[in-house]
Amino acid sequence: MNSLAEKRKTYQDQLAAKAKKTVIVVGLGTCGIAAGGEKIWSAIKGEINNKKLDIEMVYSGCVGMCYKEPIIEVHKPGMPRVIYGDVNPENALQILQDHAVNGKVVNDLAVAQDPKEGAAKLPDVPVLNELPFYKKQVKTAIAKCGVINPDSIEEYIAFGGYEALEKVLTGMSQVEVIDEVKKSGLRGRGGGGFSTGLKWEFANKAQGDKKYVVCNADEGDPGAFMDRSVLEGDPHAVLEGMAICGYSIGADEGYIYCRAEYPLAIKRLETAIARGEEAGLLGKNILGTGFNFKLKIKAGAGAFVCGEETALINSIEGKRGMPRVRPPFPAQSGLWAKPTNNNNVETYANIPNIIRQGSSWFASMGTEKSKGSKVFALTGKVNRTGLAEVPVGITIREIIFEIAGGIQDNKKFKAVQIGGPSGGCIPEEHLDTPVDYDSLIALGAMMGSGGLVVMDETTCMVDVARFFLNFTKNESCGKCTPCREGTKRMLEILETICAGKGKPEDITTLERLSTVIKSTALCGLGQTAPNPVLATLKYFRSEYEDHIFNKKCPAGVCNALLEYKIDAEKCKGCGSCKKVCPVEAISGEKKQPHEIDTSKCIKCGSCIEKCKLDAIIRG
Amino acid sequence: MSNVNLTINGQKVSVPAGITIQEAAEQIGAFIPTFCFDKDLTAPGACRICVVEVAGMRNLPASCVTAVAEGMVVQTESPVVVEARKMILELLVANHPLDCMTCEKGGNCRLQDYAYRYGVTGGAFVGEKHEYLPDSTNPYVYRDLNKCILCGKCVATCNAVSERGVINFAFRGFNTRIATFMDADLKDSECVYCNRCVAVCPVGALVDKNMMGKGRIWDLEQKQVTCTFCESGCNFNVNYRDGKVVGVTAANAAAGRPLCLKGRLGINFMQNPDCIEKPLLKKDGEFVAVTWEEALGIAPILEKLKVINK
Ligand SMILES: Cc1cc2nc3c(=O)[nH]c(=O)nc-3n(C[C@H](O)[C@H](O)[C@H](O)COP(=O)(O)O)c2cc1C
Ligand code: SF4
Ligand code: SF4
Ligand code: SF4
Ligand code: FES
């Protein structure tokens, strides 16, 4: 039975041996690949081959610093691990030559060093854990993302992987496992925040000759990529979590429902499942204990509603992805009408740590009712976009202004959308709210899956509401009347307001529609679809009123409400604007203030970009 | 099963556990509108017109799919319920042709009935409406999806016959519609024109083409008959206008029951003006009326039989 422990020892030794070699790691998550990581890989690889250098190359998933991609790391014996950002094929070769070969760190490109025993700290490179981006983070669920090679089960095992599964299978009863998960206080990371332990208990107690474990990897929120990063960076953690769940509820089969737009995640999952089966850690007779757990992947076509668990189950069954009425809940009657437990990717990824390190360790993080850590995807107008895992209960301000480094171009913060299209925006005055399930709901937002979209002063909140309603309207499955027809009408009203044709009664109509849709729609999609409108109405009502009554868009976004004018004081008559105007709306003599004929102007904005004196006003 | 006690509109009731709020309300005669619910067919909880208010619940549950529970306090037509139903009807009507004056279903349409009850006139929302071409290329079913409210009953009844499943939901959101494979007209689909779907459609989206222009519900008298063409014994309605049969329509298509064309088309024999009363025999290139004995060529035999009998 200590074969796993023996394996771990072997793999750790192998890793230690590797540490005696120079290794270059290239970040090849989707973010790294999108930024050009593969070109860098080839460039370095080519050079190593050409010069026959004794340097090993490996790849990893996303380390979270998407704002610095492409990222590479250099591990040189006797030196701290150094992370380089904004790498391109040319400077990659410089890093290779200077650092990997000659041991001289390229300070201009070094983002951070990760000190290690027996290696002198570098004087001019910040320490990873002291970076503002990292200082307030905790790394548990995504601790191994970007650190291990996701395709290597050996590395996962060397880092303690499958130890939790072994512990569960060889020494814990089903009830003990469920109790441990319950005590940890873990709540579902897929949005709703339901107690994971309780959910497992329901599925455990449900009668059935066959049960299923399902992993929701649909991740449909615009701006969310936490689950993708976990699947690409540490797929075994999810598989191990699912297997532990399978044991505790009495299921021998599991499905991972992953959107087809995540080809890399699917590939890594396939590899991980195959390696897991070969190693006897998945599949039949796991670790010789007689427990079987077979995993399958189902690629979804990427409809947002297929993230709703009953629609997801329909979709796995090959039916149209439309939600079912609940109850019965999946725990009673789920996949093929069998008791089914469905959790989110991140939820499962937390499980091995909870089992290994104990529920009290997990529960020591977070607030009274929301425990542990949560991964957020930081996007929008912040200086540092990326993936951050923080203890639940940290304030929104800390996330945006410390971890994400505040607003780009020194602009003013306006609002942050939390919870994607189902959530709401939170304005400046609530920035000190702790991020936990209940506080966010109280503000009209939602934890959601962890997408955090930051908006600055140049964002029009009516336009934001319109954006999200357009999303939900398109993603509505069409089954129930309020969502199918109601979101369409809400969108139409928002569009008329943005087009400057808003009517005084529009705000009331929006509020009435919101109330009815929220209270009558069949599934969570419809029930939360009005949230972006309600939240913007709550905190930015005057912007709606400006659009409707004063025919003005204060943020200068809604084209129909804008007028371009030239400030005669500032204009020196250089004529650059006149040259670019595609409809010849600008006239004026050389060196004399110019003028815009608003009846001709099509508001394309070309002139404003050309004017070096900021003499053109949009408003 | 044991009983549960609940209060509906202030009235205490005791009903069997496991039944729905809608069924419980029915027992005490409290009105709840329904579009998508059909006791024998389907309960998708889709249309949401049947929502009610239940004390302590965050949302308004759909009564057709929500089971009663001990101590429940239900309001079937409180102001919030009325507001929700009105809004749902306004939304349906905003995307409806509203040509009720010429619609075959006039007087027999739930949308019309409920709009009347809740005072919904349309016009609350002006925006995009569907502009589908009606499918009129087959002789039996007239399909106008502009009138469809997507209750899904037609899909359920068509799919209840295992080898059919001719229609299903297609597309998403506002563009969702009922479609055949590859969105073809019925005539190019596997449809067998059993008209089960027509029998369940609560609005004028599916109409029996043979009945078009022959009168509306208030013009007709209906008598249910059991078809004798085959051993299935389906139920049909024989429709009379001014005492004369004008058509046979499919009645309730109970689960698994095949309705078919034979039964409904039988009427054509009844009213065919060319219907012959006597057999015809070609004599010198012309058809002439003859007796059955002559037509069947058994006249000489009959003659002989008569002789023997004497
Ligand atoms: C419209 C809609 C979309 C959803 N999308 C997702 C998703 O992409 N991923 C996810 O894990 N949960 C999603 N959910 C939540 C799931 O229905 C379900 O609650 C969740 O997967 C449960 O897992 P958890 O308890 O681990 O959070 C969605 C819900 C709704 C209503
Ligand atoms: S709320 Fe929207 S997505 Fe959910 S069932 Fe109704 S139509 Fe479909
Ligand atoms: S007529 Fe019969 S076969 Fe044709 S679509 Fe309707 S139910 Fe299906
Ligand atoms: S055609 Fe009729 S029965 Fe079919 S979904 Fe539409 S309204 Fe319902
Ligand atoms: S009748 Fe209840 S939801 Fe349609």
Side-chain angles (χ1 to χ4, degrees), chain A residues 320 475-476 488 512 520, chain B residues 48 60 83 128 171-173:
Chain A
R320 181 176 160 95
E475 295 296 330
S476 160
K488 166 79 178 173
R512 276 187 59 207
T520 63
Chain B
R48 315 309 280 182
L60 304 177
E83 159 77 356
E128 190 185 335
F171 307 97
R172 267 200 272 169

Side-chain angles (χ1 to χ4, degrees), chain B residues 35-36 143-145 147-155 167 169 178 197-198 200-206:
Chain B
F35 281 125
C36 67
R143 214 161 62 107
D144 182 357
L145 293 184
K147 296 187 180 178
C148 171
I149 58 165
L150 291 167
C151 72
K153 280 183 186 174
C154 55
V155 174
I167 44 177
F169 288 91
I178 308 296
C197 54
V198 176
V200 294
C201 182
V203 294
L206 298 173

Side-chain angles (χ1 to χ4, degrees), chain A residues 34 52 100 142 200 239:
Chain A
K52 305 213 165 45
I142 57 170
W200 289 20
L239 306 186

Side-chain angles (χ1 to χ4, degrees), chain A residues 375-422:
Chain A
V375 185
F376 284 96
L378 313 171
T379 54
K381 307 276 179 68
V382 280
N383 281 318
R384 291 192 281 268
T385 54
L387 212 60
E389 182 172 0
V390 293
V392 175
I394 191 172
T395 67
I396 307 170
R397 189 186 298 281
E398 288 171 289
I399 299 183
I400 296 175
F401 287 92
E402 297 184 33
I403 296 176
I407 310 300
Q408 282 170 9
D409 305 326
N410 288 321
K411 292 233 167 59
K412 251 187 88 200
F413 169 86
K414 187 165 194 178
V416 53
Q417 180 81 13
I418 303 191
S422 315

Side-chain angles (χ1 to χ4, degrees), chain A residues 55-74:
Chain A
I55 292 173
E56 194 167 332
M57 280 188 75
V58 293
Y59 54 89
S60 72
C62 168
V63 278
M65 288 191 275
C66 303
Y67 64 103
K68 281 289 178 193
E69 290 285 357
I71 289 175
I72 69 172
E73 293 175 21
V74 179

Side-chain angles (χ1 to χ4, degrees), chain A residues 94-155:
Chain A
Q94 188 197 347
I95 296 169
L96 172 68
Q97 190 57 40
D98 290 4
H99 183 170
V101 177
N102 298 329
K104 209 174 125 293
V105 175
V106 184
N107 283 339
D108 296 351
L109 296 166
V111 180
Q113 59 174 322
D114 189 9
K116 68 176 171 219
E117 252 175 71
K121 212 162 118 184
L122 302 164
D124 301 318
V125 181
V127 173
L128 187 63
N129 292 333
E130 291 166 12
L131 283 183
F133 183 72
Y134 271 103
K135 214 157 64 192
K136 294 224 161 156
Q137 290 200 48
V138 289
K139 293 272 178 187
T140 63
I142 57 170
K144 292 193 275 300
C145 291
V147 175
I148 62 167
N149 174 348
D151 286 332
S152 162
I153 193 171
E154 293 82 9
E155 288 191 21

Side-chain angles (χ1 to χ4, degrees), chain A residues 303 320 322 325 475-482 484-486 488-489 492 509 512-513 518-522 527, chain B residues 44-48 59-60 65 83-84 87-88 91-92 94-95 125 127-128 149-150 169-174 176:
Chain A
R320 181 176 160 95
M322 292 218 274
V325 169
E475 295 296 330
S476 160
C477 82
K479 180 169 178 174
C480 75
T481 319
R484 179 187 69 235
E485 309 285 333
K488 166 79 178 173
R489 299 306 165 208
E492 283 178 342
T509 313
R512 276 187 59 207
L513 272 167
K518 268 178 89 78
S519 61
T520 63
L522 168 61
Q527 288 163 9
Chain B
C47 73
R48 315 309 280 182
N59 293 333
L60 304 177
V65 286
E83 159 77 356
M87 183 68 88
I88 290 171
L91 287 169
L92 287 172
N95 192 12
F125 305 105
E128 190 185 335
I149 58 165
L150 291 167
F169 288 91
F171 307 97
R172 267 200 272 169
F174 187 73
T176 306

